[in-house]
């Protein structure tokens, strides 16, 4: 996702500076420099970066302390994927003139391209201090901040960019990602709605919109968003699974089964889909049919409470008490705080003849339920006016 967002920063953003040399050249040197600069411009325009490199090296033979020429040389090297040499050229430019924003920006941009996000932040901030109106540097900084999960800082940078370019699709997508990672789902909805109103909304954007709707408690609307995503990308098992999950969450089991079974037809090893299908059949009272799906899910996710708990229940219902107790024990060991885990384990132990141990688990279930009710009562009292 970050890679896609980053490349909305134009590859032409590397700063190249064409100025005269900094010392007083002789007439012959003036003519030589003019020829190098003119040739460099032509080669840059033709994207002949090897030839441009040759010309900039010619400039530096005449004026070796020209920081701007070092900056331009770095650009030509970078375009040829000579990243280390480019970085050395830009570093040399900074040594000669630390107040030149271009080389700071170019180093930061190159680091973002290499996904070295943490290292990119400092040179990009220096570049922006020297040139505050550099939108490309600010966009690259936002990408670096997202890459290092500094989402509030990224959001501030993106907000400033959007104030200047409110219909920039890439910025809106970056903003949505940042808001969702901060669990600011209402704000994510706002920017996603704006992005979906622009040309060429993708299936991923509709799915992201659906996730934000669901997180805001608008699951029925989320189904519609995922439906649009699936229309755009009908072969995506991930999107189809998301739609099936939302149907399952809404207890629309027939529609959930249709989508999830289709996911498994396309990818039999999709363990999360296997779990939902198994849980669906278990809820509908068909534990025998649920078993193979739940076994596959538990094998894929042995450290997940839900998979082990559902498999344990299905095994007990189908008469395999020892196997069911083993799975329920595993589930409770994974999460001691879920009352229903202790309750189902207690019932299974009691039915299998382990009355004392079963009572202990049932007592734990009761205690957890009582603690939950007491906590809810306290929250309710705090909300009510005196």
């Amino acid at each position: 996702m970050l890679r896609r967002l980053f490349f909305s920063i134009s590859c032409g953003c590397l700063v190249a500076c064409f100025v005269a040399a900094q010392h007083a050249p002789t007439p012959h040197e003036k003519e030589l420099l003019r020829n190098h600069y003119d040739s460099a411009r032509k080669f840059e325009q033709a994207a002949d970066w090897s030839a441009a490199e040759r010309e900039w090296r010619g400039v530096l033979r005449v004026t070796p302390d020209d920081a701007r020429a070092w900056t331009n040389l770095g650009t030509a090297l970078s375009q040829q994927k000579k990243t280390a040499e480019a970085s050395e050229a830009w570093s040399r430019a900074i040594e000669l003139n630390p107040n030149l924003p271009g080389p700071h920006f170019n180093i930061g941009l190159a680091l973002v391209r290499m996904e070295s996000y943490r290292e990119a932040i400092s040179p990009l901030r220096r570049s922006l201090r020297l040139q505050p109106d550099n939108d490309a540097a600010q966009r690259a900084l936002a990408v670096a901040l997202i890459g290092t999960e500094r989402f509030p800082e990224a959001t501030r940078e993106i907000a400033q960019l959007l104030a200047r370019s409110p219909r920039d699709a890439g910025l809106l997508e970056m903003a949505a990602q940042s808001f969702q990672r901060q669990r600011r789902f209402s704000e994510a909805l706002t920017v996603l709605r704006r992005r979906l109103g622009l040309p060429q909304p993708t299936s991923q954007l509709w799915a992201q919109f659906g996730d934000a709707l669901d997180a805001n408690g608008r699951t029925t609307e989320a189904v519609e968003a995922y439906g649009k995503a699936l229309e755009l990308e009908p072969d995506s098992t991930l999107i189809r699974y998301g739609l099936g999950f939302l149907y399952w969450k809404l207890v629309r089991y027939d529609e959930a089964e249709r989508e999830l079974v289709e996911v498994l037809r396309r990818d039999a090893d999709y363990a999360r889909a296997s779990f939902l299908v198994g849980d669906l059949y278990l809820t509908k009272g068909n534990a025998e049919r649920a078993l193979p799906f739940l076994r596959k899910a538990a094998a894929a996710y042995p450290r997940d409470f839900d998979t082990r708990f559902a498999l344990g229940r299905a095994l007990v219902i189908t008469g395999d008490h020892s196997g069911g107790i083993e799975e329920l024990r595993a589930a409770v060991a994974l999460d001691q705080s879920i009352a229903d885990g202790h309750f189902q384990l207690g019932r299974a132990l009691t039915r299998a003849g382990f009355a004392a141990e079963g009572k202990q688990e049932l007592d734990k279930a009761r205690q957890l339920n009582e603690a939950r009710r007491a906590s809810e009562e306290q929250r309710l009292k705090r909300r009510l006016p005196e």
Side-chain angles (χ1 to χ4, degrees):
M1 181 63 172
L2 273 179
R3 181 178 292 275
R4 184 169 65 83
L5 291 174
F6 166 68
F7 279 107
S8 63
I9 304 172
S10 167
C11 288
C13 282
L14 288 170
V15 172
C17 308
F18 299 96
V19 296
Q22 294 177 341
H23 77 289
T26 66
H28 172 70
E29 288 175 332
K30 284 183 179 179
E31 182 64 24
L32 190 59
L33 286 170
R34 187 179 302 110
N35 290 337
H36 283 308
Y37 271 85
D38 288 345
S39 296
R41 288 187 180 94
K42 292 175 184 176
F43 289 132
E44 295 257 5
Q45 290 169 358
D48 188 343
W49 300 106
S50 176
E53 175 192 348
R54 184 179 66 244
E55 297 302 324
W56 290 121
R57 291 194 185 280
V59 169
L60 288 166
R61 280 195 293 273
V62 179
T63 56
D65 292 335
D66 188 335
R68 297 179 186 273
W70 280 105
T71 301
N72 295 333
L73 173 62
T75 299
L77 290 164
S78 177
Q79 295 289 353
Q80 297 175 76
K81 310 289 190 232
K82 298 178 180 179
T83 305
E85 292 177 70
S87 182
E88 289 176 7
W90 292 325
S91 295
R92 177 60 180 151
I94 291 169
E95 288 175 11
L96 293 166
N97 185 355
N99 294 320
L100 198 63
H104 295 290
F105 168 54
N106 290 342
I107 288 173
L109 191 61
L111 288 166
V112 169
R113 285 177 172 167
M114 294 187 293
E115 300 183 10
S116 298
Y117 300 121
R118 193 173 308 281
E119 294 82 359
I121 291 171
S122 181
L124 289 171
R125 287 202 188 280
R126 284 196 292 269
S127 173
L128 283 165
R129 281 196 294 271
L130 295 165
Q131 190 180 19
D133 60 348
N134 186 342
D135 282 6
Q138 195 164 20
R139 187 187 291 251
L141 176 59
V143 172
L145 290 168
I146 289 175
T148 52
E149 300 188 358
R150 293 163 65 171
F151 300 111
E153 294 172 73
T155 298
R156 288 193 290 272
E157 302 296 335
I158 297 166
Q160 293 175 24
L161 288 163
L162 280 172
R164 299 191 289 271
S165 303
R167 292 177 59 81
D168 187 304
L171 288 175
L172 289 167
E173 291 176 30
M174 288 173 69
Q177 183 188 13
S178 183
F179 282 136
Q180 287 192 304
R181 293 296 299 272
Q182 296 173 77
R183 305 186 68 79
R184 294 164 64 178
F185 298 114
S186 295
E187 291 152 299
L189 275 178
T190 299
V191 294
L192 282 167
R193 189 175 286 108
R194 286 168 58 186
R195 172 60 186 94
L196 290 168
L198 297 177
Q200 298 180 320
T202 64
S203 59
Q204 288 81 8
L205 283 169
W206 278 110
Q208 203 175 353
F209 188 53
D211 291 338
L213 285 165
D214 182 46
N216 277 282
R218 297 161 63 178
T219 306
T220 301
E221 294 172 74
V223 166
E224 296 177 13
Y226 260 88
K228 290 179 181 179
L230 197 59
E231 287 175 10
L232 290 171
E233 195 175 353
D235 292 332
S236 171
T237 53
L238 181 62
I239 291 173
R240 192 177 294 276
Y241 168 79
L243 179 58
F245 171 79
L246 292 172
Y247 281 136
W248 173 83
K249 190 174 180 179
L250 289 168
V251 199
R252 292 165 61 174
Y253 288 142
D254 290 343
E255 292 154 299
E257 181 180 358
R258 180 191 68 214
E259 300 300 338
L260 294 167
V261 167
E262 177 60 19
V263 168
L264 291 171
R265 187 188 70 79
R266 295 165 181 255
D267 182 359
D269 295 326
Y270 206 123
R272 283 297 179 196
S274 291
F275 168 72
L276 291 184
V277 171
D279 185 78
L280 186 154
Y281 290 145
L282 184 60
T283 302
K284 292 171 75 173
N286 195 338
E288 193 70 47
R289 193 176 183 187
L291 269 176
F293 296 100
L294 295 175
R295 288 187 192 278
K296 179 171 288 188
Y301 298 103
R303 303 290 303 169
D304 184 272
F305 173 90
D306 290 335
T307 58
R308 304 298 294 270
F309 177 69
L311 177 58
R313 286 183 57 217
L315 288 167
V316 169
I317 292 170
T318 55
D320 185 353
H321 292 284
S322 61
I325 288 170
E326 181 181 348
E327 292 299 322
L328 290 170
R329 284 190 197 279
V332 168
L334 288 167
D335 193 335
Q336 296 272 350
S337 68
I338 299 177
D340 201 29
H342 293 285
F343 177 73
Q344 295 294 341
L345 176 57
R347 287 212 315 177
L349 287 166
T350 301
R351 290 174 180 174
F354 303 101
E357 190 180 356
K359 184 178 182 303
Q360 289 177 356
E361 294 298 328
L362 292 171
D363 287 343
K364 288 178 186 176
R366 185 181 66 258
Q367 291 164 9
L368 286 167
N369 279 325
E370 289 173 352
R372 178 179 55 81
R373 282 195 295 270
S375 177
E376 290 173 354
E377 287 173 4
Q378 287 298 319
R379 281 199 298 269
L380 183 59
K381 286 179 181 178
R382 285 194 292 269
R383 291 176 187 169
L384 292 174
E386 293 295 335

